[in-house]
Amino acid sequence: GAVVSQHPSWVICKSGTSVKIECRSLDFQATTMFWYRQFPKQSLMLMATSNEGSKATYEQGVEKDKFLINHASLTLSTLTVTSAHPEDSSFYICSADRYMGRTDTQYFGPGTRLTVL
Amino acid sequence: DAKTTQPPSMDCAEGRAANLPCNHSTISGNEYVYWYRQIHSQGPQYIIHGLKNNETNEMASLIITEDRKSSTLILPHATLRDTAVYYCIVRVSVAGGTSYGKLTFGQGTILTVHP
């Protein structure tokens, strides 16, 4: 159990276009989902926290107008990179929070490799 | 959330136990110890977590010292597929409420399992 999927697994786009990435929790409902970004040879950096039915909370330095997050259901969150530029090329990973017993655990998707030309 | 300290790299022979240490001397009473691993170009995989008691699941064992200032992740019989970056993270865990316990990833330990 606790499977999280992402689509697409990789995408190449032209500079100035927008790209949408989907994150789905397949076998559990997630009130909270998270979006991370990872540059080569670096660790994961949290971009934003997404709560179902409300606005996302962005980390300091992350442009909310550039990285649009929608969490419309308990199993789906989307990240849209608007007007993408080469510096946005990165590995984007989502996670979904699952409650079991007295604690919660984040389960991660496989990631989406974005390349902006 | 409290910070953690891990060795940057470790080696282990295939079939032997891999013991990965983690120091978290500033951990608070309501913070759990979580372990994840990331194989190259994949999303992190959850391994195990605990508060103060030792924990075991099908993947690994987690040993937490009595003062909770350090812990050890044990992979009992390492295989080549266990080669990955292992992250030790401490965070608050919320039961049934809105999660606000962020996962802050450090540099982790690069575990290399060799034949």
Side-chain angles (χ1 to χ4, degrees), chain B residues 6-113:
Chain B
Q6 299 178 253
S9 64
M10 293 183 66
D11 287 335
C12 178
E14 189 177 20
R16 304 297 293 269
N19 297 279
L20 292 90
C22 180
N23 285 322
H24 31 79
S25 59
T26 60
I27 192 171
S28 300
N30 61 349
E31 288 182 314
Y32 286 71
V33 180
Y34 285 78
W35 283 84
Y36 287 81
R37 71 182 182 184
Q38 186 177 25
I39 297 170
H40 184 62
S41 295
Q42 297 182 24
Q45 178 187 22
Y46 165 75
I47 301 174
I48 198 168
H49 74 281
L51 182 63
K52 55 183 178 181
N53 298 320
N54 298 337
E55 302 286 346
T56 296
N57 62 20
E58 65 278 3
M59 289 184 67
S61 294
L62 174 61
I63 308 298
I64 302 175
T65 57
E66 192 170 343
D67 62 7
R68 303 212 318 127
K69 293 185 177 182
S70 66
S71 60
T72 301
L73 178 73
I74 302 173
L75 307 179
H77 305 286
T79 70
L80 299 179
R81 290 183 296 178
D82 291 323
T83 293
V85 181
Y86 286 77
Y87 297 99
C88 169
I89 302 168
V90 293
R91 69 182 282 263
V92 173
S93 182
V94 184
T98 300
S99 171
Y100 58 87
K102 301 175 185 178
L103 284 177
T104 302
F105 285 82
Q107 295 306 307
T109 296
I110 300 172
L111 174 68
T112 303
V113 181

Side-chain angles (χ1 to χ4, degrees), chain A residues 7-71:
Chain A
H7 179 79
S9 55
W10 59 271
V11 57
I12 301 173
C13 70
K14 293 183 179 179
S15 185
T17 61
S18 295
V19 174
K20 179 185 282 189
I21 302 170
E22 293 186 350
C23 175
R24 294 181 185 272
S25 56
L26 299 184
D27 53 358
F28 66 99
Q29 294 183 329
T31 303
T32 305
M33 290 184 172
F34 303 84
W35 287 96
Y36 296 79
R37 181 167 54 181
Q38 185 174 33
F39 292 106
K41 299 190 184 236
Q42 295 186 21
S43 194
L44 281 78
M45 293 294 295
L46 178 66
M47 299 176 65
T49 301
S50 167
N51 288 302
E52 186 265 339
S54 62
K55 291 184 178 180
T57 303
Y58 291 81
E59 295 299 299
Q60 191 172 10
V62 178
E63 300 175 59
K64 60 181 180 181
D65 294 331
K66 181 171 183 63
F67 299 100
L68 302 180
I69 293 172
N70 184 277
H71 191 163

